[in-house]
């Protein structure tokens, strides 16, 4: 199988030296060696995210945190911002878990704004607000800092959950500044690791509330996960130890670059891509709300995106078509993880060449 360098919005490219860490010999997950590995990871995550909140790493992809939200945080009724496919998944997961949820829905390509959230909160008896930071299907970056501030100013008891699956580790995010109660991410996006782990940062208030909620299950019981860590500094179930090695190593690299350094590099890649897109097409997100980790571009020239990807494959690249109904109407360039602005220039240069720009 030939190697296609992944400019899709996850999984994204992992460096060989990071992948190699997964071949280290296994250790027992109840051994002191694992405790050292895992507590080291938690410490590095706390430093990277500049947070004093609680942190856990689960062997499950990011979507598990939608189930955890429904089972541990939503007491009775949630308000879920819906602006694309992944935020819709959160809304549906809460409903499928037997809790009430109302959708605060905007047209795809538009952002959820703080005033919309506050207005909606005034109309219903909500205990939780869930918003996606970076809606990977539309390339919209929601203003979660402003939303968090607006919620906590007027509704301090409402808990704020943010899906940062495709932005954390690239975009600069500090839970305390954003006023999040739960913020979660997957490793296969901006952490540039293989899929299989999710990272979550949660407040004491979340734990307190979760303790009083029935039906949290086992794998999705945040109180159980938290208490196990407090007691043993390990995970309650067998973790993907190989991926933990890779995560630990990658976090050293991330700390060396710094959260702000990574943000700036992602911003540069996004700005270059947006300029290119505006020369030939239009951006799909409303102006001012464009993601810095994935650019969704409106295919105003009616180019054949599937065909482009075949030609790019021959040159060793892969980009993403539009999501769901947006296929061929839009296309997406994921510029997340360890890619650099130079890499983006090479990729877009090849697209110029293929499309004759
Ligand atoms: C914003 C967002 N949320 C959730 C998910 C689901 O994450 P996972 O596939 O890691 O469960 C994705 C995956 O692309 C995503 O982009």
């Amino acid at each position: 199988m030939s190697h296609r360098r992944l400019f899709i919005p996850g999984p994204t490219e992992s460096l060989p030296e990071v992948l190699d860490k997964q071949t280290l010999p296994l250790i027992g997950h109840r051994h002191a060696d694992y405790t050292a590995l895992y507590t080291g990871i938690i410490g590095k995550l706390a430093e990277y995210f500049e947070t004093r909140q609680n942190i856990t790493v689960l062997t499950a992809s990011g979507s598990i945190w939608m189930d955890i939200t429904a089972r541990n945080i939503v007491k009775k009724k949630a308000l879920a911002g819906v602006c694309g496919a992944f935020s819709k998944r959160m809304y549906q997961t809460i409903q499928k878990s037997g809790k009430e949820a109302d959708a605060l829905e905007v047209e795809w390509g538009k952002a959820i704004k703080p005033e919309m959230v506050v207005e909606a909160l005034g109309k219903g008896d909500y205990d939780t607000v869930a918003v996606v930071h970076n809606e990977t299907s539309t390339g919209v970056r929601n203003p979660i800092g402003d939303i968090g501030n607006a919620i906590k100013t007027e509704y301090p008891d409402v808990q704020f959950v943010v899906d940062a699956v495709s932005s954390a580790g690239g975009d600069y995010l500090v839970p305390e500044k954003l006023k999040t109660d739960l913020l979660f991410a997957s490793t296969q996006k901006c952490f540039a690791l293989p899929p299989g782990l999710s990272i979550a940062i949660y407040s004491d208030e979340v734990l307190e509330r979760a303790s009083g909620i029935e039906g949290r299950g086992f794998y999705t019981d945040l109180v159980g996960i938290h208490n196990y860590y407090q007691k043993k500094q390990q995970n309650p179930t067998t973790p993907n130890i190989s991926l933990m090695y890779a995560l630990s190593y990658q976090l050293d690299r991330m700390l060396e670059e710094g959260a702000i350094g990574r943000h700036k590099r992602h911003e540069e890649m996004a700005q270059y891509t947006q300029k290119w897109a505006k020369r030939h097409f239009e951006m799909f997100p409303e102006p001012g709300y464009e993601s810095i980790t994935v650019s969704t571009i409106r295919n105003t020239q009616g180019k054949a995106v599937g065909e482009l990807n075949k030609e790019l494959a021959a040159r060793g690249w892969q980009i993403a078509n539009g999501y769901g109904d947006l296929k061929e109407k839009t296309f997406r360039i994921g510029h997340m993880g360890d890619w650099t602005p130079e890499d983006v220039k090479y990729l877009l240069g090849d697209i110029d060449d293929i499309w004759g720009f």
Side-chain angles (χ1 to χ4, degrees):
M1 194 175 60
S2 62
H3 178 192
R4 273 165 288 167
R5 289 156 291 174
L6 299 177
F7 275 83
I8 59 176
T12 193
E13 204 71 11
S14 296
L15 293 173
E17 69 192 85
V18 175
L19 292 175
D20 279 354
K21 294 292 167 205
Q22 294 176 100
T23 63
L24 287 169
L26 286 168
I27 49 175
H29 66 294
R30 299 291 174 235
H31 193 275
D33 288 348
Y34 183 73
T35 307
L37 174 66
Y38 189 56
T39 53
I41 287 170
I42 300 298
K44 290 174 202 181
L45 285 167
E47 189 181 341
Y48 185 85
F49 287 99
E50 299 172 27
T51 185
R52 295 173 72 87
Q53 287 192 2
N54 309 285
I55 302 175
T56 192
V57 182
L58 278 191
T59 295
S61 78
S63 299
I64 196 168
W65 288 94
M66 299 185 185
D67 287 282
I68 292 178
T69 296
R71 291 177 170 201
N72 293 260
I73 301 180
V74 182
K75 275 201 289 196
K76 195 163 179 294
K77 192 173 173 189
L79 178 70
V82 176
C83 58
F86 294 102
S87 42
K88 189 170 181 186
R89 182 183 296 175
M90 172 66 95
Y91 166 60
Q92 290 174 332
T93 303
I94 296 170
Q95 287 188 320
K96 283 179 185 167
S97 304
K99 304 277 173 78
E100 283 179 64
D102 285 342
L104 169 59
E105 198 154 8
V106 295
E107 191 190 328
W108 284 35
K110 299 272 190 282
I112 307 282
K113 316 270 171 40
E115 54 278 13
M116 297 176 188
V117 175
V118 170
E119 194 193 332
L121 282 176
K123 291 184 189 155
D125 200 10
Y126 302 105
D127 52 65
T128 307
V129 172
V131 176
V132 65
H133 179 218
N134 196 69
E135 179 45 83
T136 320
S137 56
T138 63
V140 164
R141 179 176 184 256
N142 285 316
I144 50 166
D146 295 340
I147 294 173
N149 261 319
I151 295 171
K152 296 294 178 177
T153 304
E154 296 204 32
Y155 301 92
D157 295 334
V158 168
Q159 299 206 341
F160 184 34
V161 174
V162 169
D163 168 347
V165 164
S166 61
S167 53
D171 214 317
Y172 178 61
L173 301 175
V174 177
E176 280 88 339
K177 286 188 191 159
L178 302 168
K179 306 224 163 54
T180 53
D181 289 290
L182 168 66
L183 181 136
F184 61 91
S186 305
T187 46
Q188 76 275 18
K189 310 275 187 189
C190 301
F191 289 81
L193 289 161
L197 297 177
S198 53
I199 293 159
I201 307 174
Y202 55 96
S203 67
D204 288 338
E205 287 75 19
V206 155
L207 269 182
E208 206 176 297
R209 183 189 281 185
S211 314
I213 296 179
E214 297 286 316
R216 302 190 300 268
F218 175 72
Y219 211 91
T220 52
D221 177 11
L222 187 56
V223 181
I225 294 165
H226 181 85
N227 289 346
Y228 202 90
Y229 183 70
Q230 292 305 307
K231 215 160 120 192
K232 306 263 190 188
Q233 288 80 55
Q234 294 170 349
N235 313 94
T237 57
T238 319
N240 186 330
I241 297 161
S242 311
L243 255 175
M244 292 284 186
Y245 286 138
L247 172 60
S248 179
Y249 178 78
Q250 179 69 339
L251 285 170
D252 289 337
R253 294 187 66 259
M254 290 169 70
L255 283 167
E256 208 171 291
E257 185 178 10
I260 292 176
R262 284 179 80 81
H263 180 98
K264 281 191 182 143
R265 178 167 54 76
H266 280 81
E267 210 168 42
E268 242 182 87
M269 292 193 283
Q271 279 166 5
Y272 189 87
T273 310
Q274 286 169 26
K275 262 194 210 145
W276 175 87
K278 286 174 193 166
R279 266 203 308 277
H280 308 295
F281 304 96
E282 282 168 19
M283 289 301 292
F284 185 71
E286 66 174 302
Y289 297 92
E290 299 91 349
S291 161
I292 68 165
T293 60
V294 54
S295 292
T296 301
I297 298 160
R298 201 187 285 277
N299 185 9
T300 47
Q301 295 204 36
K303 294 280 190 188
V305 179
E307 287 306 307
L308 169 72
N309 243 343
K310 283 186 199 152
E311 297 206 37
L312 284 174
R315 299 177 187 221
W317 306 103
Q318 186 180 342
I319 63 159
N321 211 320
Y323 192 97
D325 291 345
L326 291 177
K327 195 168 173 185
E328 296 291 328
K329 293 186 190 129
T330 66
F331 58 97
R332 294 171 300 158
I333 298 178
H335 31 71
M336 56 176 72
D338 287 326
W339 287 128
T340 65
E342 277 307 295
D343 298 319
V344 173
K345 284 177 198 170
Y346 279 121
L347 167 72
L348 296 180
D350 261 354
I351 298 180
D352 282 344
D353 192 37
I354 294 167
W355 274 345
F357 291 153

